[in-house]
Amino acid sequence: MSIDESSTGGPGTGLLPAVAPEVLAEAVENLSGRLRKKLDAAIEGCAAGAVRAADASVSVRFGEDAVVTLRPGPSGVVTRADQAVCGCLLAPRCLHRAAVLGASPIADSDADADELTPPDPGPAPTTEPAAAAAAVLGAEGDAEGGVLTAAQVRAAAGLWGAAAEALAAGVTAGGAVVQAELLRAAHTARIAGLPRAEAAALRVVRGLRAARDRSAAQRLAELTGAFRELLYTAGLLASGAAGAGLTGTVRRSYEAGGSLRVYGLCREPVLSATGYGGVATHLLGVDGAHYSVSDVRPGGLARARGAGAASVALGGAVLDHAGLARGGLRVVGATVSPEGRLGAGRGVRATPVGGVAWGEGPTAALFSRPAAEAVAAMPAEDAEPGLLGCDVRVVGASGDHVLVRELTPGAPLLRLAPAHPHPELPHAANLRRIAGCPGLVLRVLGRPDLDRAATLRPLAVGPVPGAEHSLRLPPEWLGRADLGYDRLQGAHFPGDAEGFVAEVAPPAGGADPLADSPLWRVRRLLEAGVAGGRRAVAEAARGAEPAALAAALRRAGFGSAAELAAALTAEADRRPRDAFGRLADASADRYAWAWLAAAAHLAAAERSLVAASWA
C-alpha cells in the first residue's frame, strides 16, 4: 500500500492547487497552434512564481499586465474553468492561463482517491459504473450483465488512440499538449463509466510529468508499467470483447459484515504520489480473513509519520493505530469492502479487546507454511499481493537488501527489501541494523515483491519463540516491531554476537533467474521506447543490437520474446511514404499494438521466473 512520493502533485509540490484533468484539457484545447508550441516553455518556472493570498487564492504574474489567479473550491481543487482567470486581453484562451494550469498538480480521480481512503457508506446503494453511464448518456444495456455500452467502447477507443500517440512520442516529445490529449480522453472515459481506464491514464500523465521534470522519485520502469496497464485496459475495452468487470468501480461497495472480532497484525505508512499520507493497520479475523483500517488524508510525509499514533476512526473505538496494531476490536454492524477494508458507517460500533501474539490463535496460520507455498497460492491477478509470514535466519547484507534463509530444510535464499525507501521512514534503517547481525533468527511479516526474484518487503518483525539468538523486544510491543514506525535499537538485539555468527553457512550460489536471463534486453528496448518514443526504437533497429538480442533470447529458450521484439523494431521503423514523400500511414496504432504485445509477454515471462525463484 505504500506508494513512492513524487513531485508530480499534492501539497508537497508548492503553492499551486491541484487541477481537475478536464479543466487543464479544455484550456490546452482552446489554444491556437502557435501558442501550443510555446506551452512547454511557458510552464517552466510557473510554480516558483506562485504567491498565495489571504483568501487562499494563488496567483502567478506574467509581466506587467498579465496575472493568472487560481481560486480552488472547498476541496482545495480547481474543478471549474471559471476558477482559473487571467487578466490579459486574450483570456481565457491565453497562454498564461494554460501554462499555470499545466504547472499545477493533477487532481485525483475518484478511483485514485478510493485507493487511499475508503468512503463512509451511506444508506444509498452504490451505483455501478455501467449503470451510471446509462443514466448519464442514455445508453442501453444491463450494468450487471457484463455488456459494455456503445459509449464506453467509443470512449475506450478514444483513450487508446491518445495513449498510442503518447507512447509514440515518448517522454522527450510528451509535453503538455500530448498530456492534455490524454487528460481529455481520460475525462471522456470517466463520463462513460470507465474509472479504471481513467485512473490508468492519470498515472501515465503524472509519470510523463515526473520524467520530464527529472524528478528524483520518477522511475522509468514504473512509467513503462503504467503505459502497459493503460494500453491493455483501453485496448481490451475498445475491442468490445471485455466484460464490465474491467471498467472498475468509482466507489468500492461496502457490504454488511455483521459482527466481527479482529486482531492487529501491524501498521504500514502510506504515501501517495499526490501528497496524501497516513497509515493502514492490518488486521486478521478469527476465521483467518484479512482486514484493514486506513487513515489517509492530504499531508504527505508529515502525516504518514504522525498517523501511526492517531486515533482510530471506527465506530467510536477509543484507541490509536499503535494500540490497534497490537490489540483487537469487536465490531458490531461492520461494513466491509471487497478488499477487506472496514468502513466507518453510522451504524458501526467497535469495542477494543486484547490482542494476541504472533503465532497464537488465528495468526498461527500465517507462519504455518513455507513462503514459497504461500506465494504460489496467491492469485496471479491481484494488483497487490497479500501478507505472508515466515521464520528466517539472517545471512548478511547485499546493498540495501538483507539476505535471509527460511528455517526449513532446502529453503532458497530470500531478500528483505525496504517496504518504503523514503529516508525519513525507518524501514531502511531498521533493515540495516538487522543485516549487521548475521545469524539472527527472526519472524517476518511482509508482502512479497512479485516484480523481483525471491524478494519480501517486511512490514514488521518479531522474535522466533524458543530461539536463543533472536530479537529482544519490550513486553509492551507484544512481540513485534512495525518497521515503518518503531526503530530497532541495540538493546533489541542479542548481545553475544560472536557466539552466533558461526551458525550461519555461507550463502549458496545466489543465482537470480530474473537477472541472469536475457529478458533485460527486451525490457531495455521497451523502456527506450517510453523514454525516446518510436524514433528511439527505430534507431535501435538499425544497428547490430537486434541480431544480438534475438540470438541471446533464442539461446535461452525465449523464442516468442525474440519474435515480438523483432516485430516491434520492424514496426517502429516502418514509415511508408507516398510518391510525394508524405507519410502514408501516420497512425501510431500498429506500433502501440506491437509494443503492448512485447510488454505483455515480458511481464508474463518475468512473473514466471519470479515465481520459480521462491521454490
Side-chain angles (χ1 to χ4, degrees):
M1 198 157 175
S2 296
I3 310 171
D4 283 345
E5 200 171 39
S6 167
S7 64
T8 59
T13 61
L15 297 178
L16 291 175
V19 173
E22 61 271 21
V23 175
L24 173 57
E26 181 184 15
V28 176
E29 187 175 6
N30 288 337
L31 293 178
S32 65
R34 181 179 62 85
L35 293 179
R36 289 188 183 192
K37 295 178 181 179
K38 300 180 179 181
L39 182 56
D40 287 328
I43 287 175
E44 296 181 6
C46 283
V51 177
R52 187 184 299 277
D55 61 353
S57 65
V58 178
S59 60
V60 179
R61 178 174 294 278
F62 292 84
E64 294 295 329
D65 56 354
V67 178
V68 178
T69 303
L70 303 182
R71 293 185 173 87
S75 64
V77 178
V78 175
T79 57
R80 303 194 315 270
D82 60 3
Q83 292 175 332
V85 297
C86 180
C88 76
L89 296 177
L90 292 179
R93 300 174 181 268
C94 64
L95 181 63
H96 315 117
R97 179 173 176 271
V100 174
L101 291 173
S104 301
I106 299 297
D108 285 320
S109 67
D110 287 341
D112 281 341
D114 193 58
E115 286 293 328
L116 299 171
T117 308
D120 187 3
T126 300
T127 303
E128 292 295 326
V136 173
L137 303 174
E140 296 181 357
D142 183 1
E144 300 295 332
V147 179
L148 296 178
T149 66
Q152 288 176 320
V153 174
R154 287 195 301 271
L159 186 56
W160 164 269
E165 293 296 335
L167 177 68
V171 171
T172 54
V177 175
V178 172
Q179 296 169 25
E181 287 299 315
L182 264 176
L183 293 177
R184 182 189 58 78
H187 180 59
T188 303
R190 177 184 183 180
I191 294 175
L194 302 176
R196 174 174 170 177
E198 181 209 11
L202 296 188
R203 283 193 289 272
V204 168
V205 171
R206 292 190 181 109
L208 286 173
R209 284 186 164 199
R212 290 177 63 84
D213 293 341
R214 294 178 175 84
S215 166
Q218 189 273 336
R219 299 290 184 271
L220 187 57
E222 294 176 3
L223 181 55
T224 302
F227 263 113
R228 184 183 69 242
E229 168 67 14
L230 173 58
L231 289 169
Y232 170 79
T233 304
L236 201 57
L237 290 170
S239 71
L246 195 64
T247 63
T249 54
V250 176
R251 286 295 187 186
R252 302 188 191 279
S253 56
Y254 279 65
E255 298 180 355
S259 298
L260 299 174
R261 190 182 184 98
V262 293
Y263 298 100
L265 293 174
C266 63
R267 296 168 291 168
E268 178 182 8
V270 177
L271 280 175
S272 84
T274 51
Y276 284 78
V279 63
T281 298
H282 298 280
L283 310 165
L284 193 68
V286 293
D287 58 351
H290 289 255
Y291 301 94
S292 65
V293 175
S294 301
D295 181 6
V296 183
R297 302 176 191 175
L301 175 64
R303 181 145 213 300
R305 296 174 62 184
S311 299
V312 175
L314 181 66
V318 187
L319 79 168
D320 56 22
H321 281 271
L324 178 58
R326 295 180 172 93
L329 284 177
R330 185 190 302 276
V331 187
V332 178
T335 55
V336 186
S337 78
E339 294 76 21
R341 293 174 180 166
L342 297 181
R346 290 186 292 273
V348 178
R349 296 292 179 268
T351 305
V353 297
V356 295
W358 283 356
E360 298 179 1
T363 67
L366 284 173
F367 305 92
S368 62
R369 57 179 177 174
E373 185 179 328
V375 171
M378 292 181 177
E381 65 273 11
D382 276 1
E384 184 176 74
L387 301 181
L388 65 84
C390 56
D391 295 343
V392 301
R393 187 187 302 276
V394 176
V395 174
S398 175
D400 62 346
H401 293 183
V402 182
L403 299 180
V404 299
R405 197 184 300 279
E406 275 192 273
L407 301 182
T408 55
L413 203 65
L414 305 181
R415 298 166 180 82
L416 304 184
H420 200 293
H422 200 290
E424 296 298 323
L425 295 175
H427 290 285
N430 282 330
L431 288 186
R432 282 194 298 269
R433 277 193 169 273
I434 292 173
C437 295
L440 180 72
V441 174
L442 69 159
R443 178 161 284 181
V444 179
L445 180 67
R447 186 178 290 113
D449 186 341
L450 300 184
D451 293 328
R452 290 174 173 79
T455 299
L456 182 67
R457 297 193 178 271
L459 302 180
V461 296
V464 174
E468 180 180 357
H469 303 295
S470 192
L471 291 174
R472 300 171 180 175
L473 302 180
E476 60 271 18
W477 285 17
L478 200 64
R480 69 201 71 167
D482 295 328
L483 296 180
Y485 289 104
D486 302 321
R487 291 188 179 271
L488 295 175
Q489 307 294 334
H492 300 148
F493 294 86
D496 52 341
E498 296 181 356
F500 63 88
V501 170
E503 296 182 12
V504 182
D512 184 340
L514 186 59
D516 295 341
S517 79
L519 288 175
W520 65 267
R521 297 173 180 267
V522 182
R523 191 183 317 113
R524 186 175 66 179
L525 180 66
L526 294 171
E527 292 179 354
V530 171
R534 180 174 184 165
R535 183 189 300 270
V537 178
E539 289 294 333
R542 297 175 187 141
E545 179 68 18
L549 183 149
L553 289 172
R554 288 195 172 95
R555 281 197 304 269
F558 295 106
S560 296
E563 293 176 7
L564 291 170
L568 172 60
T569 54
E571 182 59 37
D573 204 28
R574 188 187 68 84
R575 306 290 278 177
R577 297 182 181 273
D578 60 17
F580 299 98
R582 297 171 301 193
L583 283 176
D585 181 12
S587 171
D589 190 71
R590 289 180 55 174
Y591 170 74
W593 279 118
W595 187 94
L596 177 59
H601 182 274
L602 174 66
E606 289 183 333
R607 280 196 300 269
S608 297
L609 291 176
V610 168
S613 71
W614 286 86

